[in-house]
């Protein structure tokens, strides 16, 4: 045996989770801690997790640290902790690499009914575990720690980083809406899932975003979300590079090609969409009237561009107010206060403006390329229909967020 007794050998073969053997007495929770060059964080995170879980479910959990043979010998540092923490297991992988497969290999050797994952670098606050475990014990299939529900956030991110993160989410919504649209923070690497819900299918995750794979291939019926603030890293460094963005894109496309898109039809909120459309029409009327009042020679006689910009912005405000009070009234009620409202308005505004650019691009493309410079009004109609859908869907998911939260 190349492995000393106290290291867990890494499984090979397909990335597939087994149902728990009923002859074993399973543990309640197996929490995977993936590491790469985290030697400075290991002792801290293991101590904090142990303290919390010893209080909550003493003797009924395990921590599985999966290290990819880190050059800083994280695995060795962890191994030295085993005598002190009997519920700690350490896996050193020497052939395979990568965050997502590390998590799955950890789940493969796990004994728990509930399978979880948490980063080792203390950017995921350990206390949230309690709130994740709560819905899981009540029978929820998946509990996700989210930066984008109340109580959630990021500590110190630049506008650029926020924008990149949201951009990735929008891209995901466009490519695999029925996977990415089910949770408010599909990029989260902090969650728990019921073993039953993911036992069976071959998992084939790419890059960092294991949660997408879990939602895309598992049998996830109920989801709980818990807000958390993504902490700043104090020691060690992030392993994310620009290549991860490409990998993410590849993952989306592969999830997409699984032909589950038909299910979208059942999930599409028809009533909301109709209301959104009616509000949209009211906006057209407001825009027209304002344009008349501002630019007509018999009234204010402003320049056309200035009038149009002001008219459009007033129409956007009109639409926002109606959507907030009617189309998404239930969501708005759950997120009261002027700050939450202002935030929704800002998002709505940005999305509508992006929609406007999309409209212009699409109109040009359809008219010039597809219809060889004919049917300009048909082209416009199609562009408007597509952009209305875009506006609706992105606003539904980002401005008035209704994710499938069960409790
Ligand atoms: N075993 C193993 N192999 N672990 C890895 C690898 C790998 O190739 N790459 C990273 N890790 C470990 C890190 O040591 C850390 O514990 C965790 O995975 C997250 O890696 P970071 O490099 O710190 O990622 P981040 O801070 O950008 O976090 C992003 O990804 C997380 C995924 O877990 C964010 O999107 C988080 O929201 C998300 O939770
Ligand atoms: Mn990190």
């Amino acid at each position: 045996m190349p492995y000393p007794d106290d290291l867990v050998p890494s499984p090979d073969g397909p990335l597939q989770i087994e149902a728990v053997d009923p002859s074993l007495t399973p543990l309640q929770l197996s929490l995977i801690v993936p590491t790469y060059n985290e030697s400075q964080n290991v002792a801290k995170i293991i101590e904090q997790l142990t303290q919390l879980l010893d209080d909550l479910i003493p003797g009924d959990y395990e921590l599985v640290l999966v290290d990819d043979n880190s050059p800083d010998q994280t695995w060795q540092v962890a191994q030295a902790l085993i005598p002190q923490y009997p519920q700690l297991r350490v896996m050193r992988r020497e052939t395979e690499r990568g965050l997502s497969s590390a998590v799955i290999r950890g789940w493969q050797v796990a004994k728990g009914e509930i399978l979880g994952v948490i980063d080792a670098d203390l950017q995921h606050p350990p206390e949230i575990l309690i709130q994740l475990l709560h819905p899981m014990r009540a029978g929820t299939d998946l509990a996700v720690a989210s930066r984008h529900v109340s109580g959630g956030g990021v500590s110190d991110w630049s506008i650029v980083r926020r924008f990149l993160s949201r951009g990735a989410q929008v891209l995901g919504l466009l490519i695999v809406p029925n996977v990415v649209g089910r949770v408010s923070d599909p990029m989260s690497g902090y969650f728990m899932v019921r073993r039953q819900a993911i036992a069976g299918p071959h998992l084939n995750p790419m890059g960092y975003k294991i949660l997408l794979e879990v939602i895309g291939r598992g049998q996830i019926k109920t989801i709980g979300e818990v807000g958390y603030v993504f902490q700043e890293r104090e020691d060690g460094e992030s392993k994310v590079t620009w290549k991860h963005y490409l990998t993410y894109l590849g993952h989306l496309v592969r999830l997409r090609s699984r032909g589950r898109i038909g299910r979208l039809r059942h999930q599409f909120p028809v009533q909301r969409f109709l209301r959104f459309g009616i509000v949209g029409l009211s906006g057209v009327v407001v825009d027209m009237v304002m344009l008349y009042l501002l630019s007509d020679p018999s009234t204010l006689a402003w320049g056309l561009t200035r009038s149009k910009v002001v008219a459009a912005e007033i129409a956007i405000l009109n639409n926002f107010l109606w959507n907030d009070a009617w189309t998404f009234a239930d969501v708005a009620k759950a997120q009261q206060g002027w700050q939450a409202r202002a935030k929704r308005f800002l998002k709505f505004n940005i999305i509508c403006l992006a929609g406007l650019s999309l409209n212009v691009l699409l109109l040009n493309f359809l008219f010039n390329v597809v219809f060889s410079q004919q049917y300009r009004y048909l082209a416009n109609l199609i562009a408007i229909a597509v952009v209305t859908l875009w506006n609706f869907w992105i606003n539904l998911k980002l401005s008035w967020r209704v994710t499938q939260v069960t409790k």
Side-chain angles (χ1 to χ4, degrees):
M1 271 301 270
Y3 290 94
D5 279 335
D6 54 357
L7 282 181
V8 183
S10 168
D12 46 19
L15 293 164
Q16 192 179 19
I17 314 290
E18 308 264 330
V20 141
D21 183 346
S23 66
L24 294 172
T25 30
L27 293 168
Q28 194 167 155
L29 170 70
S30 295
L31 188 62
I32 310 304
V33 186
T35 58
Y36 194 74
N37 286 344
E38 304 285 2
S39 58
Q40 301 164 60
N41 292 315
V42 166
K44 268 180 277 179
I45 184 87
I46 297 300
E47 198 210 317
Q48 292 190 21
L49 293 175
T50 304
Q51 261 179 18
L52 270 165
L53 292 169
D54 276 351
D55 271 353
L56 208 62
I57 42 173
D60 210 7
Y61 73 96
E62 62 181 351
L63 304 174
V64 184
L65 187 140
V66 182
D67 185 63
D68 286 1
N69 210 15
S70 298
D72 78 349
Q73 313 210 296
T74 308
W75 57 275
Q76 221 169 33
V77 178
Q79 201 181 359
L81 295 172
I82 296 177
Q84 199 183 338
Y85 301 101
Q87 75 297 345
L88 173 63
R89 301 166 73 199
V90 178
M91 184 190 295
R92 173 191 182 190
R93 301 202 304 166
E94 289 179 273
T95 47
E96 232 171 3
R97 286 278 310 262
L99 177 53
S100 286
S101 71
V103 175
I104 296 176
R105 292 304 183 198
W107 286 343
Q108 281 183 309
V109 302
K111 300 174 195 143
E113 304 248 41
I114 298 172
L115 304 173
V117 55
I118 184 170
D119 286 358
D121 54 12
L122 299 158
Q123 291 192 282
H124 293 157
E127 317 80 78
I128 301 294
L129 278 182
I130 304 171
Q131 294 170 55
L132 289 175
L133 202 54
H134 186 74
M136 292 307 291
R137 291 169 89 179
T140 305
D141 292 326
L142 173 71
V144 182
S146 166
R147 296 167 293 185
H148 306 313
V149 293
S150 74
V154 288
S155 17
D156 219 356
W157 283 22
S158 68
I159 282 285
V160 176
R161 186 147 179 217
R162 284 170 203 255
F163 189 80
L164 274 179
S165 174
R166 285 306 201 169
Q169 193 179 353
V170 168
L171 210 63
L173 284 171
L174 294 176
I175 300 177
V176 267
N178 56 333
V179 174
V180 173
R182 288 193 73 189
V183 287
S184 66
D185 191 356
M187 315 297 160
S188 177
Y190 191 9
F191 62 91
M192 292 181 187
V193 61
R194 194 162 300 287
R195 173 189 288 273
Q196 278 167 13
I198 53 163
H202 282 220
L203 302 172
N204 196 0
M206 292 163 64
Y208 259 44
K209 301 311 171 194
I210 171 98
L211 179 58
L212 293 182
E213 191 71 10
V214 165
I215 299 175
R217 298 190 204 268
Q219 296 287 324
I220 311 288
K221 288 184 220 81
T222 47
I223 303 179
E225 292 189 289
V226 177
Y228 86 99
V229 177
F230 192 75
Q231 304 295 313
E232 290 303 306
R233 200 187 240 281
E234 285 176 7
D235 291 296
E237 54 195 51
S238 169
K239 284 91 206 173
V240 174
T241 63
W242 63 270
K243 266 195 216 147
H244 286 101
Y245 288 96
L246 282 185
T247 315
Y248 168 70
L249 202 69
H251 194 186
L252 291 180
V253 170
R254 210 179 45 204
L255 281 167
R256 162 79 200 219
S257 61
R258 295 185 57 248
R260 290 181 55 169
I261 218 69
R263 280 177 47 184
L264 181 60
R265 235 179 309 131
H266 305 291
Q267 289 177 8
F268 193 82
V270 179
Q271 196 198 23
R272 271 196 220 280
F273 183 64
L274 286 178
R275 289 182 176 187
F276 192 82
I278 293 169
V279 170
L281 287 179
S282 84
V284 173
V285 175
V286 170
D287 186 307
M288 288 285 195
V289 171
M290 285 314 299
L291 195 68
Y292 167 78
L293 289 178
L294 296 173
S295 74
D296 200 82
S298 68
T299 55
L300 282 180
W302 285 10
L304 190 62
T305 304
R306 179 150 69 117
S307 305
K308 173 66 198 183
V309 169
V310 174
E313 193 52 44
I314 293 178
I316 288 179
L317 179 65
N318 166 83
N319 290 13
F320 174 78
L321 292 175
W322 284 108
N323 280 325
D324 209 49
W326 185 45
T327 316
F328 299 104
D330 50 334
V331 186
K333 209 184 274 167
Q335 301 167 18
Q336 282 174 348
W338 70 267
Q339 268 178 325
R341 230 163 169 225
K343 215 161 138 188
R344 289 199 292 277
F345 178 60
L346 195 70
K347 287 181 185 170
F348 181 73
N349 224 318
I350 293 172
I351 293 162
C352 288
L353 292 181
L356 187 63
S357 325
L358 188 68
N359 206 334
V360 174
L361 286 177
L362 207 60
L363 174 61
N364 269 292
F365 175 75
L366 289 170
F367 178 67
N368 290 315
V369 180
V370 180
F371 297 141
S372 7
Q373 312 222 324
Q374 292 175 54
Y375 315 118
R376 97 180 38 222
Y377 296 106
L378 177 65
N380 193 27
L381 218 58
I382 297 176
I384 290 175
V386 171
V387 169
T388 305
L389 257 173
W390 144 280
N391 273 345
F392 175 68
W393 188 250
I394 304 295
N395 273 307
L396 175 75
K397 289 303 176 184
L398 295 188
S399 306
W400 292 276
R401 199 176 306 114
V402 263
T403 41
Q404 299 176 355
V405 178
T406 42
K407 52 182 68 207

